[in-house]
Amino acid sequence: MTRFDADDPRERQKLFADAIAAHRTRASAFLTLEAEHDPEIDGEDSPAPWVQFAESTFNVDVTDDELDRLNDVVDDFPAFRIDQLESPEEAEATNVRITARSDANRLAAFADRMFRDVYGREDDYRAWVAAI
């Protein structure tokens, strides 16, 4: 891979698909995608949203409201399913594991939808491939 960020919807999905392909080719432990921190959406002291992918599983942390929106996104991808929810008492979020067996383009589209629909990003948000 030669680039690691994008803010155009088509370029961002291509970036995500390329990162997923690189993750698979390298057989890396996981892939991490991050959206640019937006204090108006994320809060001043909260981290930017991230999405991890490993083998055939997405891993995300979401609030209760975000979980409701995530369920709606998963419903639009029939081959994907939520397999595990963990909500430790000391945590403010729920960790969600989503099984997603598909090609890199479909996985990339799902990741982009999570950032836009679950985490409230606009179409022109900037995302980075933080780890492959």
Side-chain angles (χ1 to χ4, degrees):
M1 288 188 55
T2 57
R3 60 188 172 74
F4 295 93
D5 72 307
D7 62 5
D8 173 78
R10 294 181 85 189
E11 288 300 312
R12 201 173 43 245
Q13 283 196 29
K14 183 172 179 354
L15 173 70
F16 291 173
D18 289 347
I20 291 164
H23 159 72
R24 288 176 167 169
T25 299
R26 296 175 187 181
S28 63
F30 59 88
L31 158 72
T32 303
L33 308 171
E34 287 184 11
E36 185 170 40
H37 182 262
D38 183 337
E40 291 182 23
I41 298 171
D42 305 323
E44 200 63 44
D45 298 325
S46 297
W50 52 267
V51 172
Q52 282 190 325
F53 181 76
E55 296 182 24
S56 61
T57 303
F58 281 103
N59 179 35
V60 296
D61 286 342
V62 294
T63 65
D64 291 342
D65 290 339
E66 291 167 344
L67 180 58
D68 289 340
R69 295 190 299 264
L70 178 60
N71 282 315
D72 292 340
V73 172
V74 171
D75 286 347
D76 289 342
F77 291 79
F80 297 10
R81 72 176 185 277
I82 294 176
D83 281 335
Q84 186 176 0
L85 299 170
E86 288 185 34
S87 299
E89 287 184 32
E90 65 278 358
E92 294 180 18
T94 299
N95 182 262
V96 183
R97 304 273 170 117
I98 303 157
T99 299
R101 292 182 177 88
S102 192
D103 64 88
N105 290 325
R106 189 88 169 133
L107 296 169
F110 181 77
D112 191 52
R113 283 278 308 276
M114 282 195 289
F115 283 121
R116 288 185 294 111
D117 295 357
V118 175
Y119 295 118
R121 294 308 192 261
E122 298 292 328
D123 283 342
D124 63 348
Y125 77 93
R126 180 172 299 283
W128 284 271
V129 177
I132 295 180

